[in-house]
Amino acid sequence: MTADRPADLVLTGGRIATMDTARSWASALAVRDGRIVAVGPDAAVRPLIGPSTRVIELRGRTVTPGFQDAHVHPVHGGLSMLRCELHADAQSGPGYDIIDRYARSHPDEPWIRGGGWYMAAFEGGTPRREDLDRIVPDRPVFLTNRDGHGAWVNSKALELAGITAATLDPADGRIERDPDGSPSGTLHEGAMDLVQRLLPDDTPAELEEALRLGQRHLHEFGVTAWQDAIIEPHTEERAYVALASRGELTGRVVGALWWDHHRGADQIEEFVERRRATAIGRYAPTSVKLMMDGVLENFTGAMLEPYGDGHGGTTDNRGLLQIDPDGLAQWVPAIDALGFQPHFHAIGDRAVRASLDAVEAARRANGPSDTRPHIAHIQVIHPDDIPRFRQLDVAANAQPLWAAHEDQMDLLTIPFLGERWRWQYPFRSLKAAGAVLAMGSDWSVSSANPIGEMHLAVERMTPAFYGGAQEVFLPDERLDLIDALAGFTVGSAWVNHLERETGSLEVGKAADLAVIDRDLFDRGAGAIGDARVVGTFIDGVAVVEDPALDG
Ligand SMILES: [Zn+2]
């Protein structure tokens, strides 16, 4: 080793979580030509320092593999950064002032667009049109909520869309109404399309700018690879192809092609063609996103047993399964046989079960495959289904930030689940049952910060900057920090088929790393969620560098 050419970059004197199979620790790491050439004690790595080697003295700070987000929407997140952005400040209030400011500063926009409002900020989780009319009476307003499953619109938007008391609910959604049947200002799920189809298209330039902003935002949090959970041809796909072909895509990206639930097997051929035509540079569209259900807060999550009425009684509503399970039993084996990865969105226990059943059908039809199906969100899992993740080789794709007692959980979810509330986000049970755990943020639904997410996975309490609930949410399901870190590194790398190149810090792998401002594993150093990334490297090149990196 010492006879080799000097390294380009050496990090030394740190706490390096290699995340190799032995979960070993090192204090130093050397990089040459974008690859890791040494990992070990300082004494073994220092001889690789030459006159032109950049040396970063870590002084006890933690280095991890670059984080990988297994379910995220960077283009959408970037677009909301460009528009009326309610995510940041609206957790505690309805955000009227932000909307007002945005409308005043964008007098020429024909539509006020944006999103990120928080259901718990509104009575019953459903904001009203009059409140928007007061701020923006003259132009249509369309604002999605922070989980993207509902939209808040003003009277002008309802009028342009022709939505009245006489308008029927679409099959895949619901118009929130007053007792007289007139639309009150919230559109759920498929009902959003009634207004959304009127919006001006995002221009290619806006989409590319959004992806640039989204990528930048992820890199700032140490994220070096991700799975984009919705790729549609005219929006996300365009942006990735544009950036990838110009070499501007620095992150490694797997794209999950959106399964249109209004169509059937005919779209599979198009997926094959799009995979062939759009795989460029670091962009690989090798996954298919199957949106199985909605969310629990508006009762569109698909449940095995009906929702409660919130007062100890029951209803006859079991939510909506958006993709027909009989069709799914044909389509999932078909996409698996073509080498596509099924990426399910499943919130309710019926949606989780239907996803597992579909993979079981694929296993029966095709035998074992390397497509690595994964189920994202996994909010409610029937206990009988937990061992099936391991049995069927399905990864659990967890969004740990949601596993907390916050208003959305305590006011809008638990009262309607009854005893089933204890089946929520069973991360430790899944791990104990041998499932691969991957993790993701679902940004812009929630924060893109993996360190914040890991804080939640470990504490099951929100860190102070997210609003700080004081009661631990289902304490038996807390993970150890190293397992949460595995979720954001090796686990997600496996889901992304990137584990040969990335996900752990080992000789020969790409030098994708995150440098954290402290020893993340020292509980005396403060809350996990207080830590921040000060340097992000991809192939040994800094994509984010804080002045504190060399300090
Ligand atoms: Zn998502």
Side-chain angles (χ1 to χ4, degrees):
M1 184 168 72
T2 46
D4 287 344
R5 281 186 293 125
D8 303 322
L9 171 69
V10 164
L11 298 101
T12 178
R15 289 263 288 156
I16 300 182
T18 68
M19 304 312 286
D20 64 4
T21 35
R23 301 259 168 100
S24 46
W25 291 86
S27 63
L29 177 147
V31 178
R32 188 170 55 230
D33 299 330
R35 300 262 148 192
I36 298 169
V37 289
V39 194
D42 289 0
V45 176
R46 283 205 162 268
L48 287 168
I49 299 175
S52 59
T53 304
R54 177 178 182 189
V55 180
I56 295 173
E57 301 289 350
L58 293 166
R59 299 190 180 86
R61 291 176 294 182
T62 295
V63 175
T64 68
F67 300 128
Q68 303 205 14
D69 190 317
H71 183 116
V72 64
H73 306 280
V75 179
H76 189 83
L79 279 175
S80 45
M81 291 165 94
L82 284 171
R83 301 216 165 111
C84 182
E85 167 65 302
L86 299 172
H87 288 89
D89 303 327
Q91 287 224 349
S92 50
Y96 298 134
D97 48 334
I98 302 171
I99 302 163
D100 186 41
R101 220 177 308 134
Y102 183 88
R104 283 175 199 280
S105 57
H106 294 80
D108 299 328
E109 300 239 316
W111 283 76
I112 302 300
R113 280 190 282 181
W117 53 270
Y118 184 55
M119 289 179 82
F122 301 93
E123 202 186 324
T126 55
R128 297 192 56 86
R129 61 191 161 96
E130 298 87 349
D131 294 322
L132 279 180
D133 294 346
R134 267 194 289 279
I135 309 169
V136 189
D138 51 334
R139 285 179 285 171
V141 182
F142 180 84
L143 300 168
T144 50
N145 80 358
R146 91 178 162 148
D147 63 23
H149 292 268
W152 178 18
V153 295
N154 67 351
S155 296
K156 190 82 190 164
L158 289 165
E159 182 193 315
L160 286 172
I163 303 173
T164 66
T167 309
L168 298 175
D169 286 343
D172 58 352
R174 192 160 55 78
I175 299 165
E176 192 70 33
R177 297 169 195 272
D178 284 328
D180 68 355
S182 58
S184 61
T186 304
L187 305 171
H188 301 284
E189 304 291 340
M192 288 191 287
D193 292 341
L194 300 171
V195 173
Q196 207 156 15
R197 63 191 166 81
L198 305 176
L199 296 177
D201 286 339
D202 302 312
T203 66
E206 285 173 324
L207 291 161
E208 289 167 30
E209 181 57 13
L211 178 53
R212 261 183 231 110
L213 286 171
Q215 170 168 269
R216 175 94 214 140
H217 189 65
L218 291 173
H219 287 344
E220 279 168 356
F221 287 127
V223 176
T224 54
W226 60 88
Q227 184 157 146
D228 190 311
I230 299 181
I231 300 288
E232 294 199 273
H234 301 296
T235 50
E236 293 86 1
E237 187 164 280
R238 254 190 208 175
Y240 279 108
V241 167
L243 265 64
S245 45
R246 292 199 295 264
E248 287 183 57
L249 191 66
T250 41
R252 303 177 204 275
V253 183
V254 170
L257 305 178
W258 175 252
W259 178 274
D260 180 350
H261 60 266
H262 302 294
R263 296 175 62 190
D266 58 306
Q267 60 194 305
I268 296 174
E269 221 172 285
E270 293 166 23
F271 291 154
V272 174
E273 173 52 23
R274 285 167 61 198
R275 178 174 57 183
R276 190 198 61 72
T278 67
I280 297 166
R282 289 183 169 161
Y283 174 66
T286 51
S287 188
V288 171
K289 169 71 174 300
L290 299 136
M291 178 96 154
M292 298 298 293
D293 65 345
V295 294
L296 302 181
E297 296 85 354
N298 64 6
F299 314 115
T300 56
M303 297 298 294
L304 292 164
E305 302 296 334
Y307 286 94
D309 63 7
H311 309 285
T314 188
T315 66
D316 58 5
N317 179 15
R318 295 197 303 144
L320 295 169
L321 212 48
Q322 297 193 358
I323 304 181
D324 159 48
D326 294 332
L328 205 66
Q330 310 296 317
W331 303 326
V332 170
I335 61 172
D336 174 67
L338 288 164
F340 282 107
Q341 169 183 71
H343 173 168
F344 300 94
H345 159 121
I347 291 272
D349 54 4
R350 185 155 59 104
V352 173
R353 182 166 292 176
S355 308
L356 291 165
D357 289 348
V359 174
E360 196 172 303
R363 299 300 187 221
R364 255 198 318 272
N366 306 332
S369 76
D370 194 37
T371 60
R372 308 180 189 179
H374 54 121
I375 307 180
H377 310 330
I378 48 175
Q379 182 164 355
V380 186
I381 306 181
H382 191 284
D384 292 352
D385 288 325
I386 286 181
R388 297 178 73 202
F389 282 77
R390 171 84 193 109
Q391 287 155 12
L392 294 165
D393 217 6
V394 172
N397 185 340
Q399 281 67 60
L401 204 64
W402 307 346
H405 281 296
E406 50 173 355
D407 287 353
Q408 190 142 328
M409 172 62 69
D410 294 342
L411 306 178
L412 301 175
T413 306
I414 291 176
F416 303 94
L417 287 180
E419 276 309 298
R420 292 169 294 184
W421 81 270
R422 295 177 189 284
W423 298 352
Q424 289 185 94
Y425 304 118
F427 305 150
R428 198 178 186 96
S429 300
L430 284 159
K431 193 189 145 28
V436 170
L437 267 187
M439 288 191 181
S441 64
D442 207 5
W443 181 61
S444 57
V445 174
S446 18
S447 156
N449 179 0
I451 293 178
E453 304 270 344
M454 287 191 269
H455 178 109
L456 260 290
V458 171
E459 310 287 357
R460 306 273 281 197
M461 285 198 291
T462 39
F465 58 90
Y466 292 136
Q470 294 314 310
E471 192 188 341
V472 181
F473 183 75
L474 299 169
D476 292 348
E477 297 297 345
R478 285 180 289 195
L479 289 173
D480 296 334
L481 178 55
I482 194 83
D483 293 323
L485 179 59
F488 270 110
T489 54
V490 278
S492 293
W494 187 81
V495 160
N496 281 335
H497 288 85
L498 287 171
E499 82 286 0
R500 279 185 206 88
E501 282 284 292
T502 65
S504 63
L505 303 176
E506 296 176 79
V507 170
K509 284 193 166 186
D512 291 7
L513 352 145
V515 182
I516 295 162
D517 68 347
R518 66 192 72 190
D519 179 351
L520 191 64
F521 287 80
D522 174 9
R523 287 287 49 82
I528 297 167
D530 291 344
R532 65 188 185 91
V533 167
V534 291
T536 306
F537 293 80
I538 297 177
D539 285 338
V541 176
V543 290
V544 167
E545 237 182 296
D546 190 286
L549 181 59
D550 291 298

